[in-house]
Amino acid sequence: MTQMSGAKFLAETMHGYGVSHFFFMPVIVADAMPEMERLGITRVMAHSEKPAAYMADGYARASRSVAFCGAQSVGANNLAAGLQDAYLASSPVVALTGRLPQELQDRWAYQEVDHASPFSAVTKYSSRVNSTDQVPMFLRQAIREATTGTPGPAHLDLAGIAGGDISTGEADLDVVIEEQFTSLPPFRPEPDSASVNAALGELSRAARPVIVAGGGVTSSGARKELIALAERLNIPVATALNAKAMFPADHPLAVGVPGAYSRACANQVLAEADLVFFVGSHTGGQVTNDWKLPRAGTRVLQLDINAVELGRSFPISVGLQADVRAGLQKMLDTSGEVGTASDEQQRATWIGRVQQLVGDWKASVDDLWNSDDEPMRTERLCKELTELLPSDSILLSDTGHSGIWTGTMIDFKSPDQSFIRCAGSLGWAFPAAFGAKAAAPDRPVITFAGDGALWYHFMELDTGVRYGLNTVTVVNNNASLNQERDLNERNYGGPLPGSDELWKLTETDFAAMSEQMGGFGITVTKPGDFEGALDQALNAGKPAVIDVKTNIDSIAPAAWN
């Protein structure tokens, strides 16, 4: 062992796990900052704690590896609030916070409140670290917890208001890097053969099966295996938002995104299916449209790395506990022995029905996709993004209408494109994109968000400027939260005085605001101008904002029930 400070140990360990950026709100582990700089770790100082957590989330999801964020004691619970999205998205973020010493707890110390309860709600693992010699045990465990099984956030509450008791203290410490936990997934367990044979038998006997692929396909890197199994067994594939880029949008077996943020055709397919195979997908309310789909009585199979997810929402005929890529590969290796559909004509009829539903839906929105209306319809903006996204780009979407627009109206044309969506909080995508850019500096990172979302954390544009995190933000700017329009007009009995102030916002020029803060800004009012604006933004050499003035009557479609 080597005598060293907690600060040096923290920095050396982060570096050993491949961490290139630390996202924080001052002041936390201040003594570790020079050590991080020495090792080439960029210290990204945000303007508030929630965006620091969002940036770490974006970094973790773009890199498929652990990310770090931090805040001092008084800001700890703000950081916890920011971890909600990482928790809901199964993102491996480790949060470091400071706390006053135990003798000052429960005595109304200045600015001190309990940290245990807020972090317990949004982490897989949360622990206090009381002395420097405890850091190795708890830090390695936090990383293991964050990356294994269903990934998720972990938290260490360090003694000292800014963790200083830990970072300044010295002890005999060994920097041990457990290589398996440097990327996702650390382990690839295979399903047992009996379960694989049972699942394949169920799929071959089904008349109308459909696969629902979830975020586990993305975190496992199982795109190729998913496509291969769908083609081998001739089964349509619907993709949850977290797996939207995992199946080609133009594939004859592609169904689209089901659930609450969905294409009508995808929900129709799930409603007509006689068997649904959830692959790496939580069977939560969003992907199932509040558990209305699949219909009662539909047989369900489920593959998940976390055994406790099997059967959580629906009784299952067969459960497979495995890493998604390893599980799908074993199914592929075994499928030749079991065979494909037992009734090929019946399966062909089902595929024809699925393709009809998908075709009918596309025809129903064709006029909106190609609309030349001014202000631009959001459907047309989504078509422009589909056509113009660089082949290696990362697209981040905010929640609410932005999640519905990207889920229903944007397609990905290249296997090298990635999609990262907000799992909870409005305003997440703008700062999260800076984290994604930190993780993938050579890839174009583009954010799709409404003006309502931009108002949350627009000050973080300064963070992007200071650190050269050159993202492009496309603002669907209709000067409103028009997702709330129907609700408020219904409550008021129509578009009457008083209802507007509950969903309309001030008309704002985000492009000018970006320019004033040192970024690049450009405004688009005509559909034909978007291509040139995107090209300028991608080549601006600084964080860029494209303020697209859109039609306030473009309302994202409600889910088909």
Side-chain angles (χ1 to χ4, degrees), residues 234-259:
N234 201 21
I235 299 177
V237 176
T239 51
L241 283 170
N242 282 340
K244 182 175 170 63
M246 291 294 103
F247 199 80
D250 59 353
H251 196 286
L253 294 173
V255 172
V257 174

Side-chain angles (χ1 to χ4, degrees), residues 455-472:
W455 281 115
Y456 273 76
H457 304 297
F458 195 73
M459 72 282 190
E460 297 301 343
L461 183 75
D462 171 69
T463 306
V465 170
R466 283 185 287 118
Y467 293 96
L469 300 170
N470 300 332
T471 63
V472 174

Side-chain angles (χ1 to χ4, degrees), residues 212 238-242 256-268 270 278 281-295 314 361 398-409 421-423 483 555-561:
V212 175
T239 51
L241 283 170
N242 282 340
V257 174
Y261 290 4
S262 58
R263 292 180 172 177
C265 55
N267 282 4
Q268 289 170 315
L270 259 67
F278 289 97
S281 175
H282 289 163
T283 52
Q286 187 179 66
V287 75
T288 63
N289 199 22
D290 289 335
W291 304 278
K292 300 183 187 75
L293 299 168
R295 299 297 196 210
F314 304 98
W361 180 83
D398 220 281
T399 192
H401 266 192
S402 295
I404 301 173
W405 287 127
T406 50
T408 59
M409 297 287 175
R421 63 98 176 189
C422 175
Q483 185 174 357
I555 304 293
W560 183 93
N561 287 312

Side-chain angles (χ1 to χ4, degrees), residues 507-530:
E507 292 191 8
T508 303
D509 189 346
F510 287 99
M513 290 169 63
S514 179
E515 292 278 346
Q516 289 176 335
M517 295 174 69
F520 173 82
I522 188 169
T523 299
V524 172
T525 59
K526 299 178 180 179
D529 293 342
F530 182 77

Side-chain angles (χ1 to χ4, degrees), residues 312-328:
R312 180 183 289 275
S313 294
F314 304 98
I316 54 174
S317 299
V318 181
L320 300 95
Q321 191 270 319
D323 164 69
V324 171
R325 194 170 86 187
L328 293 180

Side-chain angles (χ1 to χ4, degrees), residues 175-245:
V175 177
V176 177
I177 307 302
E178 297 171 329
E179 293 293 334
Q180 286 174 297
F181 305 99
T182 58
S183 62
L184 298 181
F187 307 105
R188 294 194 181 276
E190 294 184 353
D192 64 278
S193 296
S195 296
V196 168
N197 286 327
L200 288 169
E202 292 278 352
L203 290 167
S204 70
R205 289 189 294 271
R208 302 181 304 280
V210 61
I211 292 171
V212 175
V217 178
T218 303
S219 61
S220 182
R223 187 180 194 273
K224 181 180 73 173
E225 290 76 12
L226 174 66
I227 296 169
L229 187 72
E231 292 177 343
R232 173 81 59 83
L233 303 181
N234 201 21
I235 299 177
V237 176
T239 51
L241 283 170
N242 282 340
K244 182 175 170 63

Side-chain angles (χ1 to χ4, degrees), residues 484-496 499-500 503:
E484 318 301 334
R485 179 177 183 171
D486 288 348
L487 169 68
N488 288 296
E489 290 186 353
R490 184 178 72 240
N491 290 342
Y492 272 79
L496 301 174
S499 70
D500 283 2
W503 63 277

